[in-house]
């Protein structure tokens, strides 16, 4: 049969702490992103600027990724619970298969998280480049030579 003799109630329960911590991290990322969006909204209302448009697509994409991360994480947790119920109901082979699905959902969640982190990193690098460009421009305007490569 598919199920290993060592597969029991404790195997799916091993994912509970990991999923809980991931969901907490995902929620924190969502809250941080929602704070940024609210700040941009307030900035737009007080002083509309076309530079905000550059960030909108990025932010929408990141919100969608976080939603996907959270959904895959929740489904992974639900599959773990179903897996434990199946093992408890003396259906370890079915529990084994559902647990495999839980692991696949966890991998999907982590891959979405990686994509969101990479997009976030790219956005931060754009901001850092803008700051460096402004500083170099100010230095050039003051008669100083910049150290551009």
């Amino acid at each position: 049969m598919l199920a290993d003799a060592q597969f029991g109630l404790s195997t799916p329960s091993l994912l509970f702490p990991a999923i809980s911590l991931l969901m907490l991290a995902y929620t924190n990322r969502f809250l941080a992103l929602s704070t940024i969006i609210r700040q941009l909204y307030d900035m737009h209302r007080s002083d509309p600027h076309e530079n905000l448009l550059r960030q909108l697509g990025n932010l929408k994409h990141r919100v969608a990724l976080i939603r996907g991360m959270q959904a895959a994480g929740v489904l992974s947790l639900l599959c773990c619970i179903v897996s434990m119920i199946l093992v408890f109901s003396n259906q370890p082979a079915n529990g084994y298969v559902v647990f495999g699905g839980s692991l696949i959902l966890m991998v999907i969640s982590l891959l979405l998280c990686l994509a969101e982190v990479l997009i976030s990193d790219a956005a931060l690098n754009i901001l850092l480049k803008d700051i460096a460009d402004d500083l170099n421009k100010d230095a050039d305007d003051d008669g100083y030579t910049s150290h551009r490569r």
Side-chain angles (χ1 to χ4, degrees), residues 20-131:
S20 298
L21 289 174
L22 281 175
M23 292 306 294
L24 181 61
Y26 295 168
T27 300
N28 286 339
R29 290 191 77 77
F30 180 78
L31 291 175
L33 196 57
S34 66
T35 299
I36 291 169
I37 291 170
R38 285 184 180 93
Q39 289 172 350
L40 285 175
Y41 179 80
D42 291 341
M43 285 173 45
H44 172 71
R45 287 291 177 209
S46 64
D47 182 27
H49 199 275
E50 63 190 40
N51 284 343
L52 295 178
L53 278 175
R54 294 189 318 169
Q55 298 181 41
L56 290 181
N58 179 309
L59 293 171
K60 285 180 184 180
H61 190 63
R62 287 178 61 196
V63 167
L65 286 171
I66 291 173
R67 188 180 327 119
M69 290 161 35
Q70 291 175 324
V74 167
L75 290 173
S76 178
L77 180 60
L78 289 173
C79 284
C80 276
I81 293 168
V82 170
S83 176
M84 292 176 71
I85 290 169
L86 290 169
V87 169
F88 187 73
S89 302
N90 204 21
Q91 299 177 46
N94 292 334
Y96 190 75
V97 170
V98 173
F99 181 67
S102 176
L103 292 176
I104 290 169
L105 287 165
M106 180 57 61
V107 168
I108 291 169
S109 176
L110 292 171
L111 290 173
L112 291 172
C113 182
L114 176 63
E116 195 274 332
V117 167
L118 293 174
I119 290 171
S120 176
D121 180 60
L124 291 175
N125 284 331
I126 289 170
L127 293 176
L128 290 173
K129 183 186 177 310
D130 286 350
I131 292 170

